[in-house]
């Protein structure tokens, strides 16, 4: 242990109470002062548990069995009182709403120092300083519920800074945020990481945007074990092939580089590009750019002349409390389309989707399902044509057993029990949920709940499926599962409408995209066309996936370079087949 | 799904301001208000009640400088309620067989000139109108004073002053804050859940039994959500050293000055004197208990 080591975790294992499976399994790691560390792993791998072990919440406040030791800045977490530990280690949590316990910004930031009985003047000073650091000083007297998601997380950060911790942990700080807020938070974290006095530990899925500040990467697997630790380039190089197995996201640029190098020459693992600039350099060194110029992927022709699955005509909608969510929306969704509905928080996406399934009372002649006016249809008729999967699966659970949950959709349509049994068992098998037949839906994991919510909709076999943020809160494995399922359904002819923030998903799976801003649709067209139109993306505050950014940058010099939307596309562009060996 | 919460409950809420009443320490203010409400609850004559209510209204509109529209917004529902009570009693009250026990006692003690007239098959009596208006005004009076308190008291300062001056445990105080924060969150979740259930095929039930089952359906996901939120909030609070020491300091200071106490006591005394003199002058004749 060098003098630099500020966190030393030795043989740490932890079992939550009532759990026979360890959440953390013999974890050993060292973090040096001033380092910025990234922890990657699938859902449930123990990242958050590890974070709570570092600030002492485990073992002081959470019951369970802990083995091994955690030494933070010379203090053993088992031996020192919690309030001493929390002064050294601060955490910003994932959910902006539930990590607050006061009503006003300044009270929230003052909360920590107040608990430590600091005198008023000192608290006042710390509040000002912390808010200044996160550029929110003018919001000092604002109510917390008036802030955006990004602003809330910045307040959470200020609240942590007020206690002046040496170590700052960020546990999925952007998972609940829209793209604009995500950018805000990442730039804050970037600023923090530039301070050599601060040690930062980041738990994130969105690695592309933040990989450049990472000094050390820790990869965990679903069994709570640490798979590897080291500098990002080295680690990414080592685990590129195991991404699927490990269920984690890796930077798009790196994945692309790996795919290319498999085709051309051996890749030197230390030279893996992480950022866009490195990516361009990499492509130039391997002379790939010229090979790709002029190639175009066979384009998905937009199904323009097809029948319309859903059409919306000049729809406006205002909630009872006065907020106008939709302003004169017109949209045509062709049958068999895979439409992505994107836009920032509050743009009206969810409201529009709910209007499309008749959840709200709307005037005649505004929304048509398969040609019929939705106001003339009963709820059952609507449900037969279109399924809707909610953002939070739990909101739509109505039964106490998984079997009944799926069966409900059929029973409510008075399908006979014989047929119910057959169809329910079938779909449970497809979604790998048969062993949970008797279980309560609420007892399932997040990924399983999501699968269940999709199953309840699909069992009715609707032609149209609408999903609100289907990959929200899901790790790579579950997200991929859902998206591949959606692609398969789409190939079978079903119309898919997906509300999402994740432009990488849009790039990879969607055919058409509609962009919403402030209750209006500001763009409707193919995905390809959208990415060639950066102004729209900026207006709607959407993030361009790194590969798109890379392609556009290369196009500055070579206008006939194709737009690469996702790493696998490189094969299609080259008309090459994916070789069996490179399962990336 | 982001949804702005329906503001129904927000009208019965703190209104920004910087008047004397706003700056008065919540604890003596609370005490005085409660006593006044209690006093008002003992009266059964409409005129004294109206006077009390007017005083309360003056406090709100003149002293606290709160717009009368804000007051009326909250009161509108209760004015309706009061009016229906008034009508009910006016029609139902039978002088020879008075409905309520206290009115029975009063009927002997209080002489109200008897008048009556017919409205079709309905009979309106002066006694009925007298007591009906008293009942209505009791509601309105109580509410007016309650509003005076709520409008001028910041919930944060109320909780802090309860902690500082009445030795309320700060853990309970923050539990109250948390509850206050969660209400709108749970409200919008409930909206989301209701829509989700409707989309799945649960119609809005009309039978009582159906309604009850519906409530059960909603409570489980709401409970699950509330418990999860509470757990996360608790961990977040613990991560900032909450509960480290038996007491804590506060950024927002709430001082308890002599002025606060003296004013509240004097004001309360003034109301009590008014009360007694109204009895002495025969304005108050009907009380819910007899001396």
């Amino acid at each position: 242990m060098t003098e630099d080591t500020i966190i030393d975790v030795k043989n740490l294992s932890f079992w939550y109470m009532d759990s026979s499976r360890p959440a953390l399994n013999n974890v050993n790691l060292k973090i040096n002062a001033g380092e910025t560390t990234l922890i990657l792993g699938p859902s449930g791998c123990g990242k958050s548990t590890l974070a709570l072990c570092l600030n002492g919440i485990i073992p002081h406040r959470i019951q369970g069995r802990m083995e091994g030791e955690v030494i933070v800045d010379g203090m053993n977490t088992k031996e020192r009182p919690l309030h001493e530990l929390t002064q050294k280690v601060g955490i910003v949590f994932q959910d902006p709403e539930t990590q607050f316990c006061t009503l006003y910004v300044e009270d929230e930031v003052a909360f920590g120092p107040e608990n430590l009985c600091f005198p008023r003047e000192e608290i006042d000073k710390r509040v000002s300083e912390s808010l200044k650091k996160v550029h929110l000083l003018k919001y000092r007297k604002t109510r917390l519920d008036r802030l955006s998601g990004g602003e809330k997380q910045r307040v959470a950060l200020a609240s942590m800074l007020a206690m002046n911790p040496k170590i700052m942990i960020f546990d999925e700080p952007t998972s609940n945020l829209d793209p604009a807020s995500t950018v805000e938070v990442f730039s804050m974290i970037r600023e923090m990481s530039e301070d050599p006095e601060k040690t930062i530990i980041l738990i994130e899925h969105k690695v592309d945007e933040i990989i450049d500040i990472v000094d050390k990467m820790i990869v965990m697997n679903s069994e709570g074990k640490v798979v590897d630790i080291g500098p990002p380039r080295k680690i990414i190089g080592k685990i590129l092939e195991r991404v699927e197995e490990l269920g984690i996201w890796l930077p798009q640029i790196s994945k692309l580089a790996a795919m290319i190098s498999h085709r051309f020459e051996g890749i030197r693992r230390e030279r893996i590009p992480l950022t866009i600039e490195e990516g361009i350099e990499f492509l130039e060194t391997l002379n790939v750019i010229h090979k790709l110029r002029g190639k175009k992927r066979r384009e998905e022709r937009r199904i323009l002349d097809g029948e319309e699955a859903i059409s919306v005509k000049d729809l406006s909608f205002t909630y009872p409390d006065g907020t106008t969510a939709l302003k004169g929306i017109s949209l045509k969704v062709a049958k068999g389309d895979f439409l992505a509905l994107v836009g920032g928080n509050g743009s009206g996406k969810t409201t529009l989707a709910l209007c499309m399934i008749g959840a709200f009372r709307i005037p005649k002649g505004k929304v048509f399902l398969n040609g019929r006016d939705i106001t003339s249809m009963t709820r059952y008729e609507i449900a037969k044509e279109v399924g809707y999967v909610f953002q939070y699966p739990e909101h739509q659970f109505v039964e106490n057993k998984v079997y009944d949950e799926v069966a409900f959709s059929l029973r409510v349509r008075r399908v006979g029990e014989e047929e119910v049994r057959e169809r329910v068992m079938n779909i449970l098998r497809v979604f790998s949920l048969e062993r949970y037949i008797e279980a309560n839906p609420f007892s399932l994991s997040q990924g399983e709940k999501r699968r269940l919510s999709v199953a309840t909709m699909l069992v009715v076999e609707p032609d149209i499926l609408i999903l609100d943020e289907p990959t929200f809160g899901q790790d790579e494995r579950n997200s991929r599962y859902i998206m591949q399922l959606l692609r398969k359904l789409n190939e079978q002819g079903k119309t898919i409408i997906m509300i999402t923030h994740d432009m990488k998903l849009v790039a990879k799976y969607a055919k058409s995209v509609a962009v919403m801003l402030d209750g209006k649709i500001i763009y409707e067209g193919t995905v390809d066309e959208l990415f060639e139109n950066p102004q729209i993306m900026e207006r709607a505050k959407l993030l361009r996936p790194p590969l798109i950014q890379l392609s556009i940058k290369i196009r500055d010099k070579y206008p006939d370079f194709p737009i690469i939307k996702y790493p696998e596309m490189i094969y299609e562009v080259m008309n090459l087949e994916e070789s069996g060996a490179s399962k990336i | 799904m982001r949804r702005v919460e329906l503001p129904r409950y927000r009208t019965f809420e703190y209104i920004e301001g910087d008047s004397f009443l706003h700056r008065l320490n919540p604890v003596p203010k609370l005490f005085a208000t409660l006593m006044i409400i209690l006093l008002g609850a003992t009266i059964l004559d409409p005129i004294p009640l109206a006077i009390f209510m007017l005083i309360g209204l003056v406090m709100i509109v003149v002293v606290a400088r709160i717009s009368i529209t804000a007051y009326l917004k909250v009161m509108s529902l209760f004015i309706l309620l009061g009016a229906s009570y008034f009508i009910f009693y006016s029609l139902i009250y039978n002088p020879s067989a008075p409905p309520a026990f206290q009115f029975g006692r009063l009927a002997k003690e209080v002489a109200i000139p008897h008048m009556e007239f017919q409205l079709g098959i309905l009979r309106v009596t002066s006694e009925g109108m007298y007591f009906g208006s008293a009942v209505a005004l009791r509601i309105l009076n109580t509410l007016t004073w309650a509003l005076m308190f709520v409008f001028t008291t910041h919930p944060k300062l109320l909780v802090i002053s309860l902690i500082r001056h009445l030795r309320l445990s700060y853990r309970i105080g923050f539990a109250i804050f948390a509850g206050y924060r969660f209400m709108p969150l749970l409200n919008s979740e409930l909206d989301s859940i209701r829509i989700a259930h409707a989309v799945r095929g649960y119609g809005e039930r009309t039978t009582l039994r159906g309604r009850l089952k519906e409530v059960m359906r909603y409570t489980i996901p709401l409970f699950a959500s509330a418990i999860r939120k509470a757990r996360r909030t608790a961990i977040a609070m613990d991560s900032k050293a909450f509960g480290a020491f038996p007491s804590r300091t506060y950024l927002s200071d709430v001082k308890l000055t002599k002025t606060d106490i003296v004013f509240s006591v004097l004001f309360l005394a003034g109301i009590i004197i008014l009360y007694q003199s109204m009895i002495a002058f025969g304005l108050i004749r009907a009380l819910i208990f007899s001396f």
Side-chain angles (χ1 to χ4, degrees):
Chain A
M1 172 150 108
T2 70
E3 273 168 48
D4 262 350
T5 306
I6 200 171
I7 295 180
D8 193 0
V9 178
K10 300 193 223 180
N11 303 323
L12 175 66
S13 296
F14 181 75
W15 288 257
Y16 280 100
M17 214 169 65
D18 298 340
S19 183
S20 53
R21 221 175 51 87
L24 290 173
N25 200 337
N26 204 16
V27 171
N28 279 287
L29 59 92
K30 288 197 197 1
I31 292 179
N32 298 327
E35 268 188 333
T36 301
T37 304
L38 174 67
I39 303 184
L40 280 183
S43 295
C45 71
K47 318 184 284 281
S48 298
T49 309
L50 179 58
L52 293 178
C53 285
L54 293 177
N55 84 338
I57 293 281
I58 298 175
H60 290 272
R61 283 283 183 272
I62 292 187
Q63 294 180 309
R65 189 171 111 228
M66 176 170 147
E67 281 174 11
E69 278 191 333
V70 177
I71 316 276
V72 173
D73 201 23
M75 303 195 294
N76 186 319
T77 61
K78 270 194 225 173
E79 289 158 17
R80 300 298 268 266
L82 181 58
H83 65 87
E84 275 182 37
L85 298 166
T86 52
Q87 287 187 68
K88 297 278 181 183
V89 184
I91 301 194
V92 172
F93 294 94
Q94 176 178 344
D95 186 1
E97 293 296 351
T98 53
Q99 63 186 320
F100 293 156
C101 58
T102 64
L103 306 168
Y104 287 80
V105 170
E106 66 174 352
D107 295 326
E108 194 60 44
V109 180
F111 186 69
E114 282 177 354
N115 290 328
L116 295 169
C117 293
F118 284 14
R120 267 198 74 235
E121 302 72 37
E122 177 66 26
I123 299 180
D124 196 45
K125 199 173 75 149
R126 291 204 179 196
V127 169
S128 300
E129 281 171 6
S130 308
L131 285 176
K132 252 191 230 134
K133 286 198 194 128
V134 301
H135 312 302
L136 283 179
L137 192 56
K138 58 177 173 155
Y139 287 133
R140 187 176 165 143
K141 301 278 183 189
T142 315
R143 276 183 76 114
L144 286 167
D145 55 16
R146 300 241 183 281
L147 302 175
S148 74
E151 287 161 347
K152 284 193 183 115
Q153 288 297 58
R154 280 154 67 191
V155 170
L157 175 51
S159 181
M160 173 174 72
L161 289 175
M163 290 179 67
N164 218 357
K166 279 190 181 170
I167 300 163
M168 306 202 285
I169 304 180
F170 296 89
D171 190 353
E172 298 200 37
T174 66
S175 293
N176 290 21
L177 304 181
D178 68 0
S181 295
T182 303
V183 167
E184 256 181 72
V185 172
F186 277 153
S187 87
M188 284 278 100
I189 296 179
R190 187 166 276 131
E191 265 186 57
M192 299 289 129
S193 73
E194 280 156 19
D195 185 343
E197 310 252 311
K198 301 282 189 206
T199 307
I200 295 187
I201 299 174
L202 181 57
I203 301 173
E204 253 297 345
H205 291 305
K206 297 174 186 160
V207 288
D208 293 279
E209 290 85 358
I210 205 76
I211 193 79
D212 54 309
I213 64 168
V214 174
D215 301 312
K216 178 183 270 175
M217 242 171 85
I218 299 177
V219 182
M220 294 180 70
N221 69 11
S222 49
E223 276 143 41
K225 289 205 176 94
V226 170
V227 166
D228 216 334
I229 305 182
R233 259 174 251 278
K234 187 154 149 248
I235 299 294
I236 290 178
K238 277 163 86 176
I239 63 171
L240 267 170
E241 278 101 33
R242 298 174 60 193
V243 162
E244 262 188 48
E245 167 217 330
L246 290 170
I248 56 181
W249 308 100
L250 282 188
Q252 276 193 331
I253 309 270
S254 313
K255 277 175 91 172
L256 178 74
M259 287 180 172
I260 290 178
S261 67
H262 267 264
R263 263 352 268 195
F264 298 102
E265 45 202 79
I267 191 173
R268 264 192 278 153
R269 296 280 140 106
E270 315 82 59
R271 306 298 304 282
I272 296 237
L274 300 177
T275 63
I276 295 171
E277 289 70 30
E278 293 173 15
I280 297 181
E281 215 188 286
F282 179 84
L283 291 179
E284 283 181 339
T285 340
L286 284 189
N287 216 8
V288 172
I289 295 187
H290 293 283
K291 292 206 174 90
L292 293 174
R293 285 175 62 187
K295 303 258 184 183
K296 274 196 135 178
R297 199 170 131 254
R298 62 191 157 75
E299 290 217 352
E300 295 275 2
R301 289 259 152 258
R302 185 164 179 224
I303 312 156
L304 287 168
D305 301 321
E307 289 167 56
E308 280 161 22
I310 298 185
S311 78
V312 179
K313 296 196 166 95
D314 193 35
L315 171 68
S316 295
F317 184 80
T318 307
Y319 281 104
D321 65 6
T323 19
T324 304
L326 302 176
K327 302 173 186 162
I329 301 266
S330 292
L331 177 68
K332 291 196 182 65
V333 185
K335 278 202 180 137
D337 201 357
F338 196 132
L339 173 76
L341 193 52
V342 303
N345 276 350
S347 55
K349 319 185 289 286
T350 304
T351 312
L352 176 57
L354 288 173
C355 285
M356 283 181 186
I357 54 163
F360 298 133
R361 208 157 281 163
I362 52 172
K364 286 205 221 304
K366 297 290 179 184
V367 175
F368 295 85
L369 263 188
N370 287 324
R372 283 175 70 188
D373 190 323
I374 208 169
T375 53
S376 69
M377 297 168 74
T378 69
R379 191 168 286 133
Y380 301 142
E381 289 176 321
I382 297 176
K384 219 166 101 177
E385 315 269 343
V386 53
Y388 190 103
V389 177
F390 281 78
Q391 180 175 359
Y392 296 99
E394 289 163 354
H395 287 186
Q396 62 181 83
F397 290 160
V398 291
E399 292 286 351
N400 296 326
K401 294 207 188 121
V402 167
Y403 178 89
D404 291 326
E405 188 61 44
V406 184
F408 178 85
S409 311
L410 295 173
R411 285 178 183 149
V412 101
R413 256 169 279 298
R414 311 208 203 282
V415 173
E417 272 311 302
E418 277 282 317
E419 201 187 327
V420 167
R421 181 153 189 89
E422 195 191 309
R423 289 164 76 168
V424 170
M425 291 313 294
N426 195 22
I427 210 139
L428 285 179
R429 234 170 280 131
V430 168
F431 283 85
S432 316
L433 289 170
E434 323 100 284
R435 56 194 160 128
Y436 293 120
I437 283 186
E438 294 288 311
N440 188 306
F442 285 91
S443 67
L444 268 50
S445 75
Q446 286 302 112
E448 288 157 351
K449 281 191 190 124
R450 167 59 73 210
R451 300 208 305 261
L452 177 58
S453 67
V454 179
T456 59
M457 288 299 148
L458 282 186
V459 77
V460 183
E461 288 168 17
D463 285 320
I464 309 168
L465 191 60
I466 304 181
L467 304 103
D468 193 346
E469 304 272 2
T471 59
F472 179 78
Q474 303 291 315
D475 62 6
E476 198 270 344
R477 190 178 301 152
N478 280 307
S479 298
R480 197 164 16 97
Y481 181 95
I482 298 276
M483 294 313 296
Q484 283 175 351
L485 174 72
L486 291 178
R487 172 178 277 165
K488 207 164 69 175
L489 291 170
N490 186 239
E491 282 163 9
Q492 287 168 5
K494 299 221 194 286
T495 313
I496 309 275
I497 299 176
M498 174 174 78
I499 299 177
T500 186
H501 281 148
D502 191 339
M503 295 312 289
K504 293 201 275 266
L505 279 186
V506 176
K508 188 160 179 189
Y509 294 99
K511 293 177 187 162
S512 314
V513 58
V515 181
M516 288 188 73
L517 180 64
D518 275 338
K520 300 207 182 88
I521 292 187
I522 62 171
Y523 175 87
E524 200 193 328
T526 62
V527 173
D528 291 17
E529 281 161 22
L530 174 65
F531 285 134
E532 308 205 5
N533 192 338
Q535 294 94 316
I536 298 277
M537 299 212 51
E538 242 193 79
R539 258 185 80 197
K541 303 218 177 82
L542 301 170
L543 286 180
R544 279 179 303 159
L547 284 183
I548 306 278
Q549 292 185 49
L550 174 124
S551 309
I552 291 182
K553 264 225 170 95
I554 296 182
R555 278 183 155 207
D556 279 342
K557 239 164 105 186
Y558 306 106
D560 55 351
F561 188 81
I563 297 220
I564 303 184
K565 299 194 286 186
Y566 47 93
E568 295 81 357
M569 193 174 138
I570 205 83
Y571 295 129
E572 299 162 35
V573 174
M574 305 282 298
N575 288 67
L576 298 168
E577 281 163 344
E578 276 184 57
S579 77
S582 57
K583 267 197 29 192
I584 295 171
Chain B
M1 165 175 114
R2 178 194 153 263
R3 256 267 249 140
V4 180
E5 319 88 56
L6 298 171
R8 260 172 303 202
Y9 72 89
R10 290 192 98 111
T11 47
F12 190 79
E13 225 196 18
Y14 174 66
I15 295 182
E16 280 284 341
D18 195 30
S19 71
F20 175 74
L21 275 182
H22 281 88
R23 280 178 269 125
L24 195 58
N25 185 298
V27 171
K29 191 167 36 166
L30 182 64
F31 177 73
T33 310
L34 283 176
M35 294 275 92
I36 294 173
I37 291 178
L38 239 59
L39 270 183
T42 64
I43 306 173
L44 276 173
D45 296 274
I47 298 178
L49 283 169
I51 295 176
F52 271 29
M53 188 178 109
L54 238 58
I55 298 176
L57 189 56
V58 163
M59 294 299 281
I60 293 178
V61 177
V62 177
V63 181
R65 293 189 292 260
I66 290 177
S67 82
I68 194 145
T69 6
Y71 171 76
L72 287 173
K73 258 205 199 145
V74 183
M75 293 298 281
S76 49
L77 184 64
F78 295 95
I79 291 174
L80 226 65
L81 186 65
S84 49
Y85 268 117
F86 172 65
I87 295 172
F88 177 77
Y89 271 110
S90 309
L91 300 172
I92 296 300
Y93 188 86
N94 183 344
S96 42
F101 76 92
Q102 64 262 45
F103 293 136
R105 198 186 326 126
L106 293 168
K108 300 187 207 117
E109 292 162 6
V110 177
I112 301 169
H114 179 83
M115 283 186 303
E116 64 175 74
F117 53 92
Q118 294 285 124
L119 269 180
I121 54 163
L122 300 167
R123 184 176 71 147
V124 179
T125 58
S126 59
E127 292 92 338
M129 288 174 68
Y130 191 86
F131 293 119
S133 57
V135 169
L137 281 167
R138 279 162 63 110
I139 299 171
L140 297 181
N141 180 49
T142 304
L143 219 65
T144 302
W145 287 97
L147 271 183
M148 184 207 77
F149 181 78
V150 169
F151 278 162
T152 61
T153 310
H154 195 306
K156 166 173 92 166
L157 297 180
L158 172 62
V159 175
I160 293 180
S161 61
L162 287 175
I163 295 173
R164 303 273 307 262
H165 310 306
L166 282 187
R167 314 266 180 124
L168 177 75
S169 147
Y170 69 75
R171 286 168 216 276
I172 298 184
F174 274 90
I176 298 175
F177 273 141
Y180 197 75
R181 281 211 79 232
F182 282 173
M183 257 199 333
L185 291 180
L186 290 178
N187 248 318
S188 30
E189 274 218 41
L190 180 60
D191 284 335
S192 189
I193 292 173
R194 289 178 64 191
I195 293 178
H197 284 213
V199 163
R200 294 229 39 211
Y202 261 120
E204 302 269 314
R205 298 300 167 79
T206 44
T207 67
L208 184 62
R209 190 153 177 264
R211 274 262 153 82
L212 279 172
K213 275 190 105 179
E214 210 174 70
V215 169
M216 286 285 299
R217 281 277 91 82
Y218 299 152
T219 44
I220 297 180
L222 267 185
F223 253 107
S225 171
I227 292 174
R228 201 176 313 127
K229 283 191 194 341
R231 188 167 181 270
R232 282 194 217 142
T233 305
I235 291 180
M237 288 168 77
D238 283 336
S239 299
K240 292 188 199 140
F242 184 71
F245 303 116
S247 70
R248 63 197 300 278
T249 51
Y250 296 89
L251 177 67
S252 315
D253 209 4
V254 189
K255 286 191 266 289
L256 184 60
T257 63
K258 285 212 189 75
T259 325
D260 297 324
I261 302 181
V262 165
F263 172 79
S264 308
V265 168
L266 283 181
F267 188 82
L268 182 59
I271 298 282
I272 293 177
I273 292 173
L274 179 63
Y275 180 82
Q276 293 289 39
S277 34
M278 287 204 272
I279 294 178
F281 281 107
L283 271 175
I284 296 183
R285 299 173 290 171
L287 289 169
I288 60 173
F289 48 83
S290 43
F291 288 112

